[in-house]
Amino acid sequence: MIRPLKETEYGLLDSFLYEAIFVPEGMQPPPRSILLNPELQVYVSGFGTQEADTAFAAEKNGRVIGAAWARIMEDYGHIDEQTPSLVIALLPEYRNQGVGRALLTELVSAVKEKGFSQVSLSVQKANWAFHLYQRVGFEIAWETENEYGMVKDLRKRTQS
């Protein structure tokens, strides 16, 4: 079930932010203390206080198994002050089952309903989620050696 994330659940965003960190195969995940870094705190600090802040949960048997959220922030996917950036993460055992696509589709729809014309994200080139983003209409806007910045134009009539 995909539903809006409740204000009382905003604390879960830290855990899902950690799950969103791409760890290449064979590498050790970073320590959880990495979440204290200012460049990661922009994703969660004060969530719910900005007009653009939007979040959804994927729930199974009463347990939140995934989250997707968007806000205007100066993150890795930042474009401008009118474009929310998004984050999506699922617990590992629920990946590759269509849950992420449903969660992403719901979030993008809500961002559009709030009147935004586009939404952005950044993704490591080696991350399999890159293909999911392409399938739901995100296009590469820029790239670095290791990552893509992607944008979805919410004014276009595309299937998501």
Side-chain angles (χ1 to χ4, degrees):
M1 173 175 70
I2 307 300
R3 61 166 176 79
L5 191 70
K6 299 171 190 163
E7 188 174 340
T8 57
E9 297 172 317
Y10 289 168
L12 294 173
L13 295 179
D14 278 334
S15 294
F16 284 103
L17 179 59
Y18 186 78
E19 292 296 335
I21 297 170
F22 177 67
V23 180
E25 195 171 320
M27 300 291 291
Q28 289 294 321
R32 283 195 170 270
S33 61
I34 195 170
L35 296 177
L36 299 175
N37 291 354
E39 65 267 20
L40 294 180
Q41 277 297 298
V42 298
Y43 292 98
V44 295
S45 184
F47 191 85
T49 61
Q50 300 176 26
E51 183 181 337
D53 288 357
T54 308
F56 285 85
E59 184 179 300
K60 184 173 184 179
N61 299 325
R63 178 181 180 212
V64 176
I65 61 165
W69 66 100
R71 68 186 325 198
I72 294 175
M73 58 187 153
E74 289 198 32
D75 69 326
Y76 299 109
H78 180 75
I79 293 179
D80 58 36
E81 293 302 315
Q82 291 77 44
T83 304
S85 298
L86 70 80
V87 181
I88 182 170
L90 297 171
L91 296 176
E93 61 269 30
Y94 296 99
R95 295 176 186 164
N96 298 312
Q97 298 175 27
V99 178
R101 184 182 182 114
L103 196 51
L104 186 59
T105 300
E106 195 68 33
L107 177 65
V108 168
S109 178
V111 169
K112 182 178 181 176
E113 285 177 24
K114 284 190 171 190
F116 293 98
S117 61
Q118 61 184 7
V119 63
S120 67
L121 59 84
S122 69
V123 60
Q124 294 290 312
K125 289 180 176 180
N127 189 333
W128 59 269
F130 165 72
H131 301 290
L132 166 64
Y133 303 140
Q134 282 187 309
R135 284 193 301 274
V136 298
F138 280 83
E139 297 175 350
I140 297 170
W142 73 88
E143 68 179 282
T144 65
E145 183 180 339
N146 297 315
E147 71 182 310
Y148 293 117
M150 301 184 80
V151 175
K152 180 172 174 68
D153 185 340
L154 303 177
R155 298 166 294 194
K156 287 183 181 177
R157 287 183 168 258
T158 56
Q159 256 190 351
S160 51

